[in-house]
Amino acid sequence: MREQQLQHPGYCAGCGVKLQTADQEKPGFLPEAALTREPVICQRCFRIKNYNDAASVTVDQDDFLKLLSGIAATNSLVVHIVDLFDFEGSLISGLQRFVGTNPVLLVVNKVDLLPKVTNLNRLRNWVQQQAKAHGLRTVDVLLCSAKRNLGFDRVIEALDRYREGRDVYVVGATNVGKSTLINRLIRDYSDLERELTTSRYPGTTLDAVSIPLEDGRSIIDTPGIVYPSRLTELVPGAILQKILPEHTLKPLVYQLNERQTLFFGALARFDFVQGERQSFTVYIASGIKPHRTKLERADELYQEHAGTLLAPPDAEQLSEIPEWTRHSLRIPRDSRQDIFISGLGWIQANGKTGALVDVYAPKGVKVLLRDAII
Ligand code: GDP
């Protein structure tokens, strides 16, 4: 082994640092065993390179809270990534209790999904209010798109401002874009210009991944939490592709009379039960085409066409979707409200006169009324 070490040119093939096997805390460290690997790279580069293999780690909420409880004892900055498309579904409730006095930076990803006309100041206020209502105190709220590289400079600036030489814990639910965002961070925070790919399908191990920073501190990527209250967690992988929006949402406006129904494939159903004629604006992924019918016809239509006309899911996948539960919601008059279906999207009610609606969604999926996001 020693001979091999001497023969080796002694520089990391990744970042060019002089290699050494003596001190784990110093730059260029690698374990002796790694000298036989090709190419020979330092441990830091090794971890960065392999980040993506480890990034798809997921965990259920109980295990996650255990992991989180360790954060309170550290001196660190907590970066909580939420998905703007599934805000209520991806916000970690109870986060505040576990982070102790450590500051929380709320990074709201996928802002590219909202139509360009969206007023970003208003949106930021909306996020702040929602976070507050969920008991989360934040040092700052940042809107960004990790995928389209929007607002990312601000994220980096905020990290520099609030980190103050501390470690950074990154926490988030699955599919919020955590790995896409960390890949960007790695590129901006390290001297390795390496594009790492992201994955859609969650893995199963439990460890957090530590990515070393230049100053000896680390970005600690914690496992993505699985919330069974999100439609995205309940559907088979093939459907996930259809319900996760990739591009800017195109609002679909429906002028509905009472006793009309909209089907979202065979994934969910919306009944306008009572109220004056009014418009409802649907924000969902383009992979699902809403189907409109009369409420009287709705049950029959479902029986005959679930998995065919009403898809996704297709006929073979239908049995994998949990049975629906009904949520009856009263939209107050003179209010701007969204009917939010976690993981599927939302329907904005535009009437001034109020409405009574029923939503059918797979059992367990979070359905609620909220102040309109747009
Ligand atoms: P993770 O499970 O939180 O690590 O999420 P990933 O980084 O694997 O991303 C999950 C999905 O969201 C993928 O389909 C990404 O392409 C998508 N995604 C990530 N960031 C963005 C974004 O800023 N905008 C949009 N539209 N999609 C994104």
Side-chain angles (χ1 to χ4, degrees), residues 3-29:
E3 212 172 303
Q4 243 168 346
Q5 196 177 353
L6 289 173
Q7 276 169 6
H8 190 267
Y11 295 94
C12 168
C15 65
V17 71
K18 193 156 178 31
L19 294 169
Q20 52 93 11
T21 53
D23 188 348
Q24 202 164 350
E25 302 302 317
K26 298 242 166 75
F29 173 79

Side-chain angles (χ1 to χ4, degrees), residues 228-247:
S229 55
R230 312 170 73 201
L231 186 64
T232 34
E233 297 293 351
L234 296 180
V235 298
I239 298 181
L240 192 59
Q241 313 264 1
K242 298 217 158 102
I243 67 174
L244 273 181
E246 289 284 330
H247 302 287

Side-chain angles (χ1 to χ4, degrees), residues 290-333:
H291 185 95
R292 172 181 175 151
T293 187
K294 288 190 174 131
L295 204 159
E296 282 71 17
R297 274 269 297 140
D299 286 341
E300 195 187 321
L301 190 85
Y302 181 85
Q303 294 305 333
E304 285 173 13
H305 298 292
T308 52
L309 178 67
L310 304 177
D314 60 30
E316 302 91 76
Q317 298 158 333
L318 201 56
S319 61
E320 294 181 57
I321 308 292
E323 255 181 62
W324 284 350
T325 353
R326 188 177 70 177
H327 305 257
S328 293
L329 304 167
R330 179 180 291 280
I331 301 156
R333 56 172 57 227

Side-chain angles (χ1 to χ4, degrees), residues 109-110 112-113 145-147 175-180 199 246:
N109 190 33
K110 306 197 188 179
D112 58 301
L113 290 178
S145 165
K147 193 163 166 172
N175 285 316
V176 298
K178 191 154 63 66
S179 16
T180 311
S199 87
E246 289 284 330

Side-chain angles (χ1 to χ4, degrees), residues 51 55-56 58 81 83 109-113 144-149 172-181 183 198-202 221 224 244-248:
Y51 164 70
S56 53
T58 65
I81 306 178
D83 179 347
N109 190 33
K110 306 197 188 179
V111 71
D112 58 301
L113 290 178
C144 73
S145 165
K147 193 163 166 172
R148 316 262 177 245
N149 202 7
T174 53
N175 285 316
V176 298
K178 191 154 63 66
S179 16
T180 311
L181 200 127
N183 284 331
T198 60
S199 87
R200 262 172 199 274
Y201 303 109
D221 179 21
L244 273 181
E246 289 284 330
H247 302 287
T248 307

